[in-house]
Amino acid sequence: MTLVTETTKVFLGEADIPTHWYNIVADLPTPPAPHLHPGTKEPMAPEDMTAIFPMGLIAQEGSTERWIEIPEAVQEIYRLWRPSPLHRARRLEKALGTTARIYYKYEGESPVGSHKTNSAVPQAYYNKVEGKTRLTTETGAGQWGAALAFATQVFGMSCDIFQVRNTFENKPYRSLLMRTFGATVTPSPSDTTQAGRALQERFPGTTGSLGMAISEAIELAVQDPNASYALGSVLNHVALHQTVIGQEALKQLDVFGEQMPDYLFACAGGGSNLAGIAFPFLRENLEGRASVDIVACEPAAAPSLTEGEFRYDFGDSSGTTPLLKMYTLGNDFVPDPVHAGGLRYHGMAPLVSHVYHEKMIRAVAVKQREAFEAGVLFARAEGIVPASESNHAIAGALRQARAAAEDGSSPVILIGVSGSGQLDLPAYAEFLSGDMSDT
């Protein structure tokens, strides 16, 4: 009997792990707007940020260099899970009856099951080398909190995490994972900070938001000279660290024999996941080697790109962060408590906002039930339960794949699957029971 086999996934070797992060600022036709000091409203100077960030990250935040070398100590930890696999979704294609060729880059094989470790490890490293012993942060769904808890444990640091109250209560295993790695986890808004108490007075009975949790984490950091604040998305240096994803995907598609995808879909909340997979492909567009249609898939409950305003706004609810030029729903916006906690943010990364404003990418909003319907179909076809956030990208891609089935075209579709949904099963239970709201 002769077996005919087709490649279903491509793994690269450790030698193929990127040695540099890609900084898209170097290739943008127009520079992004600078961050502004919240008091003076003047462009932020490096010394303005030293209260919460180490100089290594501050330099990356304002860098215009195209390639920034990844420290060997960070590359060593990356080897635990990088390179991540690129799959050809043949069973999903068959289930859809589509003529499209669908690929997905899966970040769920990292130590905590998401792309967030790509930035958590370097952030912990740069703080460690500058003598910091403690990091504070916020987390929505818990993917970022778990990633930073892992990273601080690797470098022998302590970690204090404020988790959005809605997900703290509805996804208990996320906080247990953070605590397993040694972190302290507090539901936000809390009574432990002045910001938390004030926010509870402003929003009685609130289920919390990422902006609220950021305010609490920053307050804790500035009170301790041995502490820094770490952010899981939005800022330039976070987007920078995530570009290992797209760099690997470029190589892997080549192994599959594909020149470039026609479409790239990625979920977008704060913007780091989208930037990570998309910016290396956007570079190909900018240099005239490709024309990839890059689509940011955001939740209808927090539609910053599709319904927000492009203006300066604070990154947190209390107005303590630098002012960022971004698409925003307003820093006092409190989204509905949807299950994609990692996407429940009022704004979008300044770099993602800039390329969207310049029409280099586009965006779609996805409602919750459509996202989970796509996630269940994906799981049954591919055997991977996606994170709630990833389901939005999958839903966007399925729209395109079904359109291809109708018109007989054969586009190449690339999906960024940002993480595993094994700890999101209560959300799937709500969808499967028919009780999920369609916000």
Side-chain angles (χ1 to χ4, degrees), residues 363-430:
V364 296
V366 179
K367 289 190 175 182
Q368 186 166 229
R369 283 209 295 263
E370 181 187 359
F372 274 86
E373 181 180 322
V376 168
L377 176 59
F378 184 93
R380 291 175 179 176
E382 294 297 315
I384 291 173
V385 178
S388 301
E389 294 75 19
S390 306
N391 286 342
H392 293 71
I394 295 168
L398 295 193
R399 293 178 186 176
Q400 196 66 51
R402 288 179 172 127
E406 292 179 3
D407 63 26
S409 60
S410 301
V412 175
I413 297 173
L414 174 60
I415 311 171
V417 179
S418 58
S420 165
Q422 294 287 357
L423 298 184
D424 293 336
L425 290 178
Y428 280 88
E430 187 175 301

Side-chain angles (χ1 to χ4, degrees), residues 6-295:
E6 294 181 288
T7 302
T8 56
K9 58 183 176 292
V10 167
F11 289 96
L12 300 174
E14 288 187 8
D16 294 303
I17 298 173
T19 59
H20 292 71
W21 293 300
Y22 168 62
N23 184 9
I24 197 169
V25 175
D27 293 320
L28 292 174
T30 57
H35 306 337
L36 302 183
H37 190 285
T40 67
K41 307 300 190 293
E42 295 294 323
M44 293 283 286
E47 56 269 23
D48 294 331
M49 293 182 271
T50 55
I52 55 175
F53 295 128
M55 282 304 302
L57 295 178
I58 292 170
Q60 292 178 5
E61 188 66 20
S63 176
T64 57
E65 294 181 27
R66 181 172 289 106
W67 299 103
I68 296 176
E69 187 173 4
I70 302 174
E72 176 55 38
V74 174
Q75 291 188 54
E76 179 184 349
I77 307 304
Y78 275 180
R79 293 185 189 107
L80 292 175
W81 74 95
R82 303 223 69 87
S84 66
L86 182 75
H87 297 248
R88 170 77 183 271
R90 297 184 188 278
R91 290 176 55 82
L92 180 62
E93 294 168 10
K94 183 177 180 180
L96 293 168
T98 183
T99 48
R101 300 193 297 283
I102 304 174
Y103 298 86
Y104 60 96
K105 180 71 165 163
Y106 183 53
E107 290 296 298
E109 295 190 6
S110 80
V112 301
S114 84
H115 72 292
K116 293 292 189 178
T117 39
N118 298 327
S119 187
V121 171
Q123 288 194 51
Y125 166 79
Y126 284 109
N127 277 284
K128 179 71 172 181
V129 298
E130 293 189 25
K132 300 296 183 179
T133 61
R134 179 191 187 197
L135 291 182
T136 71
T137 196
E138 78 296 326
T139 193
Q143 300 275 28
W144 167 247
L148 194 66
F150 161 77
T152 50
Q153 181 270 332
V154 165
F155 290 107
M157 307 168 74
S158 63
C159 188
D160 292 278
I161 301 167
F162 289 90
Q163 184 174 15
V164 175
R165 182 173 296 278
N166 173 64
T167 49
F168 179 88
E169 294 173 349
N170 292 311
K171 296 182 179 181
Y173 295 112
R174 291 282 186 215
S175 60
L176 284 172
L177 183 58
M178 298 176 225
R179 290 166 53 200
T180 298
F181 285 118
T184 299
V185 187
T186 304
S188 174
S190 73
D191 295 324
T192 62
T193 68
Q194 182 178 339
R197 292 187 292 271
L199 287 164
Q200 289 183 81
E201 289 184 13
R202 281 179 62 195
F203 304 99
T206 181
T207 57
S209 70
L210 280 167
M212 293 180 183
I214 290 171
S215 295
E216 295 203 83
I218 289 178
E219 179 181 322
L220 209 63
V222 298
Q223 294 172 349
D224 182 357
N226 297 313
S228 283
Y229 167 67
L231 185 64
S233 191
V234 181
L235 293 180
N236 298 2
H237 66 267
V238 187
L240 175 80
H241 300 155
Q242 294 296 347
T243 58
V244 292
I245 304 172
Q247 291 183 65
E248 290 177 5
L250 280 165
K251 290 184 178 180
Q252 289 164 315
L253 280 172
D254 186 61
V255 174
F256 271 111
E258 302 285 7
Q259 292 294 314
M260 285 285 162
D262 296 294
Y263 300 94
L264 190 162
F265 293 88
C267 64
S272 70
N273 166 71
L274 174 83
I277 191 168
F279 280 1
F281 286 92
L282 183 54
R283 179 193 70 216
E284 300 300 303
N285 285 0
L286 290 170
E287 295 186 359
R289 292 190 293 268
S291 55
V292 183
D293 186 356
I294 298 169
V295 186

